[in-house]
Amino acid sequence: MTALAERLQDPRARARVMVLAAFCRAHASRLHARLATRRGPLPVATESHGGATIGVALKDEANFARRMADRYEVLAELARQHSDLQSAWVAELNRTEEQDRARELMMLAKGMAGGAP
């Protein structure tokens, strides 16, 4: 996300994506803390956007966030079925963060297509 932000020309859009990157780092920190105690959910590797245009890269990242939100929804349900309410809470928190990130990135991508983020 930070690399994606650095490619943006508009300072406001760059700042928005940098804030999303900070949320991603906090998200990863929570997951790593849970792994240290041998509790899930496990983190998922990030995808690289390579040479994609900035609009395509933003859409790709938004779609990735949607897929992660769906995965966290499944993890939360499994945790509830196993009476692991703490893991269910973390999965739900991560799910809502991914949904918010997807919406924000899609709005930025549409702004790129329209000429102004």
Side-chain angles (χ1 to χ4, degrees), residues 22-23 98 102:
F23 279 109
E98 292 294 344

Side-chain angles (χ1 to χ4, degrees), residues 17-115:
V17 175
M18 290 298 282
V19 167
L20 292 174
F23 279 109
C24 288
R25 285 189 295 276
H27 184 123
S29 178
R30 273 197 309 275
L31 294 175
H32 288 156
R34 293 189 61 73
L35 283 174
T37 62
R38 297 189 186 273
R39 296 178 64 99
L42 300 175
V44 179
T46 61
E47 296 178 354
S48 173
H49 302 293
T53 66
I54 192 69
V56 170
L58 288 168
K59 285 180 184 176
D60 287 349
E61 191 66 29
N63 290 328
F64 179 74
R66 283 190 186 119
R67 289 192 309 274
M68 294 302 96
D70 292 343
R71 288 182 182 180
Y72 281 120
E73 185 174 19
V74 170
L75 283 171
E77 183 56 34
L78 286 171
R80 282 190 289 274
Q81 288 174 9
H82 292 281
S83 299
D84 185 354
L85 299 181
Q86 185 180 19
S87 292
W89 179 83
V90 169
E92 287 292 348
L93 178 62
N94 290 344
R95 180 184 64 81
T96 57
E97 285 179 353
E98 292 294 344
Q99 288 174 331
D100 291 344
R101 188 167 70 99
R103 278 190 295 273
E104 184 79 15
L105 289 168
M106 195 54 77
M107 285 185 348
L108 284 168
K110 287 178 183 177
M112 291 288 151

